[in-house]
Amino acid sequence: MNKVEKIAIQDEYPDEFAWCYGCGRLNTDGHHIRTVWEGEETVTYYESGDKFTAIPGFVYGGFLASLIDCHGTGSAALALHRKNGYEPGDSVEPPRFVTASLHVDYLKPTPQGVQLKAVGKVEEIHPKKFKIHVKLYAGDEHVVNGEVVAAYMPASFVK
């Protein structure tokens, strides 16, 4: 059976907003983080390899924070897009969010060589602000908790 790849919210960001180092599809040096729905939770899968080494065998914490950050803003975009009646693939430009706050708690060292999975639960706290609670797993092991407050991107970001 062939695996069907879901359309991520970041796949649908307009070109002028697709340059983020974490999730921008047009940033050739970036991480290309992609966030999708799995039921009522948002999910991002990532293979870090050994590129983001803290010490041999373990993932650098700054990369993990970046993963949580972009997963959070992508989750907020998914939530507002769905609230507005749309899903990725509906040919409707999704809303874009920026980080208002990022909090990360490292529970244990994150091993390299295993798939990372960020799982988000979205809480609306204002019509233009969402709080995303993120659990990050390395394989089956829960290694990091994060919280992102994402704010709707202001018009001043558009050139």
Side-chain angles (χ1 to χ4, degrees):
M1 174 185 266
N2 291 336
K3 181 180 173 188
V4 176
E5 181 128 348
K6 293 182 181 181
I7 297 172
I9 195 71
Q10 294 91 342
D11 297 339
E12 301 210 324
Y13 289 163
D15 287 355
E16 62 267 24
F17 298 127
W19 293 94
C20 172
Y21 188 80
C23 65
R25 72 180 184 286
L26 298 178
N27 188 326
T28 57
D29 295 325
H31 303 315
H32 302 136
I33 291 167
R34 302 177 73 251
T35 307
V36 300
W37 285 113
E38 282 190 6
E40 295 302 311
E41 296 178 324
T42 60
V43 177
T44 295
Y45 294 95
Y46 199 86
E47 300 283 345
S48 69
D50 61 0
K51 184 175 181 180
F52 306 109
T53 299
I55 59 172
F58 296 96
V59 180
Y60 165 59
F63 167 73
L64 300 173
S66 177
L67 175 59
I68 288 170
D69 183 12
C70 284
H71 177 74
T73 57
S75 296
L78 278 169
L80 184 55
H81 204 44
R82 181 174 274 181
K83 182 179 177 184
N84 291 339
Y86 305 106
E87 297 290 336
D90 286 348
S91 299
V92 174
E93 184 178 306
R96 190 67 169 86
F97 282 78
V98 294
T99 306
S101 174
L102 173 65
H103 181 87
V104 180
D105 289 316
Y106 301 95
L107 306 177
K108 54 183 76 170
T110 302
Q112 289 177 318
V114 297
Q115 184 178 61
L116 302 177
K117 179 182 179 182
V119 179
K121 292 185 185 273
V122 181
E123 170 188 352
E124 184 173 358
I125 57 175
H126 180 277
K128 292 189 176 184
K129 273 191 180 175
F130 292 83
K131 183 183 290 183
I132 299 83
H133 304 276
V134 181
K135 289 184 178 183
L136 184 66
Y137 297 87
D140 293 330
E141 194 167 358
H142 181 191
V143 293
V144 179
N145 283 330
E147 181 181 277
V148 177
V149 175
Y152 189 77
M153 184 179 282
S156 63
F157 275 44
V158 179
K159 288 185 178 186

